[in-house]
């Protein structure tokens, strides 16, 4: 095999109450990585599109190639020569798992080029290293679902214990990206390190309720559990019109609405595509009334995750 192309989807991390432990993949958008073998050893980025020239072009600094270098090191491969093309189809600092999608597409493409020595799950720690480069924290709630698909739960980071849970077939996500940028590093820095017992109890109840609601297809329970008393109150101040947009989603059919990842994107979950579309329209209108343009993506939960395209 001399060339490979892989696609990895955008993701919604945290999913309201599950900071760093919940995430799911959507169908589109996503990033694509193309690899072309060459005779000379070394990994070289030859082109990146869709980043307005902002991402580093050096292989040791870009998360898309850092994950490949880590994989090659792990496998003891020193002489591979490869050109890398990254096609970004989502904005940086969007809360849509942009850096995760690039890292996942990169590591999946490289694994394929090598004849798939590692399983999908075994690739996860390498993809997490990409997140460390991009945001200073090796969280798995974007790379996990982008790599594996479905709704992912990270029960533990040390040791890593990650699994997917079933979700109702008629569950749809509305993802609205306002034309603002938030740096994940900054959005993590503003969080408090201590949490009160009262808030911990409330959050644990909602985490348990959301998992049970999704697994039992109990839409009322999903709706009641989409409450984040720890992270959302702090981070929502970074998103103009947050409260109004959230209310617009819920008043127009959504089960719940919160920040997607570190923001500024906001997501809603709904029963049925029609509710998801109505919520999206209302959220977009609300942002527009404050002079903020936004892009809306409505999608079912992507069960497959990253795919090799050729
Ligand atoms: N769980 C991470 C955070 C996701 O909220 O900082 C970042 O996309």
């Amino acid at each position: 095999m001399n060339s490979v192309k892989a696609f990895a989807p955008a993701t919604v991390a945290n999913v309201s109450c599950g900071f760093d432990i919940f995430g799911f993949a959507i169908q589109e958008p996503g990033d694509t990585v193309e690899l072309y073998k060459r005779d000379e050893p070394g990994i070289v980025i030859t082109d990146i599109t869709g980043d307005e020239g902002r991402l580093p072009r050096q292989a040791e600094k870009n998360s898309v190639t850092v994950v490949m270098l880590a994989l090659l090191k792990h496998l003891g491969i020193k002489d591979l020569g490869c050109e890398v093309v990254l096609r970004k189809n989502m904005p940086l600092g969007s809360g849509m798992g942009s850096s995760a999608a690039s890292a996942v597409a990169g590591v999946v493409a490289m694994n394929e080029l090598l004849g798939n020595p590692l399983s999908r799950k075994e690739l996860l720690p390498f993809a997490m290293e990409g997140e460390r480069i991009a945001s200073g924290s090796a969280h798995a709630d974007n790379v996990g679902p982008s790599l594996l698909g479905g709704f992912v739960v990270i029960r533990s980071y040390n040791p890593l214990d990650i699994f997917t849970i079933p979700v109702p077939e008629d569950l749809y996500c509305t993802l609205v990206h306002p034309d603002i940028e938030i740096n994940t590093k900054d959005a993590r820095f503003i969080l408090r390190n201590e949490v009160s017992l009262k808030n911990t109890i409330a959050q644990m109840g909602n985490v348990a309720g959301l998992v049970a609601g999704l697994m039992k297809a109990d839409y009322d329970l999903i709706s009641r559990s989409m409450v984040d008393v720890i992270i959302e109150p702090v981070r929502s101040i970074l998103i103009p019109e947050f409260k109004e947009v959230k209310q617009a989603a819920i008043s127009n059919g959504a089960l719940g609405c919160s920040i997607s990842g570190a923001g500024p994107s906001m997501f809603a979950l709904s029963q049925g595509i029609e509710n998801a579309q109505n919520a999206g329209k209302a959220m977009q209108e609300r942002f527009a009334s404050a002079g903020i343009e936004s892009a809306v993506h409505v999608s079912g939960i992507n069960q497959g995750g990253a795919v090799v395209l050729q």
Side-chain angles (χ1 to χ4, degrees):
M1 187 180 287
N2 285 319
S3 70
V4 173
K5 189 173 176 181
F7 166 89
T11 41
V12 171
N14 302 336
V15 200
S16 73
C17 50
F19 178 68
D20 277 0
I21 64 160
F22 287 164
F24 63 82
I26 60 172
Q27 302 294 353
E28 281 190 340
D31 288 351
T32 304
V33 168
E34 297 161 23
L35 299 185
Y36 303 93
K37 263 195 189 164
R38 58 172 203 164
D39 293 336
E40 221 178 307
I43 307 293
V44 190
I45 299 176
T46 50
D47 195 14
I48 302 180
T49 59
D51 73 327
E52 294 160 352
R54 292 172 55 195
L55 293 174
R57 266 51 184 173
Q58 302 99 308
E60 305 74 31
K61 291 195 178 153
N62 192 313
S63 57
V64 75
T65 32
V66 163
V67 296
M68 297 179 195
L69 292 169
L71 178 63
L72 292 174
K73 191 172 173 203
H74 171 81
L75 295 170
I77 299 172
K78 293 192 180 114
D79 53 356
L80 184 82
C82 187
E83 294 182 352
V84 181
V85 175
L86 168 61
R87 306 216 179 276
K88 289 215 64 71
N89 294 308
M90 59 185 119
L92 311 180
S94 59
M96 297 163 68
S98 176
S99 56
S102 297
V104 168
V107 81
V108 166
M110 182 53 82
N111 195 45
E112 179 77 18
L113 194 73
L114 299 172
N116 288 306
L118 296 193
S119 71
R120 277 293 165 100
K121 234 176 173 174
E122 286 168 340
L123 292 178
L124 187 58
F126 300 97
M128 287 169 69
E129 281 312 307
E131 288 293 65
R132 195 192 302 281
I133 294 285
S135 76
S137 134
H139 52 272
D141 49 343
N142 291 113
V143 284
S146 188
L147 184 64
L148 306 171
F151 191 106
V152 162
V153 176
I154 300 138
R155 189 204 60 80
S156 156
Y157 273 88
N158 192 15
L160 192 59
D161 185 357
I162 178 167
F163 55 89
T164 57
I165 57 168
V167 297
E169 250 174 48
D170 210 20
L171 189 72
Y172 282 83
C173 169
T174 310
L175 187 56
V176 181
H177 173 244
D179 194 11
I180 317 165
E181 192 172 317
I182 292 180
N183 185 299
T184 301
K185 224 180 245 179
D186 299 340
R188 292 183 81 84
F189 182 75
I190 61 166
L191 300 176
R192 299 185 196 104
N193 273 319
E194 268 96 48
V195 179
S196 70
L197 182 60
K198 184 173 159 238
N199 280 349
T200 306
I201 292 166
Q203 200 86 349
M204 286 195 298
N206 286 318
V207 163
L210 187 52
V211 169
L214 290 167
M215 294 185 72
K216 297 197 310 182
D218 181 338
Y219 289 101
D220 283 340
L221 182 55
I222 293 170
S223 180
R224 295 201 299 283
S225 306
M226 285 181 69
V227 180
D228 172 11
V229 297
I230 297 176
I231 308 295
E232 187 183 291
V234 182
R235 281 185 171 171
S236 56
I237 54 166
L238 301 173
I239 306 172
E241 300 295 300
F242 175 82
K243 264 192 203 144
E244 293 78 5
V245 172
K246 177 172 175 156
Q247 192 49 53
I250 292 166
S251 309
N252 284 277
L255 300 164
C257 172
S258 186
I259 305 169
S260 175
S265 289
M266 292 175 65
F267 82 98
L269 289 179
S270 299
Q271 180 176 9
I273 192 163
E274 208 174 305
N275 284 329
Q277 283 164 342
N278 290 341
K281 197 165 165 268
M283 292 165 79
Q284 188 169 44
E285 279 169 6
R286 192 62 229 193
F287 273 127
S289 70
I292 302 166
E293 287 197 16
S294 62
V296 180
H297 306 275
V298 173
S299 161
I301 310 300
N302 176 339
Q303 295 295 345
V307 282
V308 173
L309 300 172
Q310 71 180 49

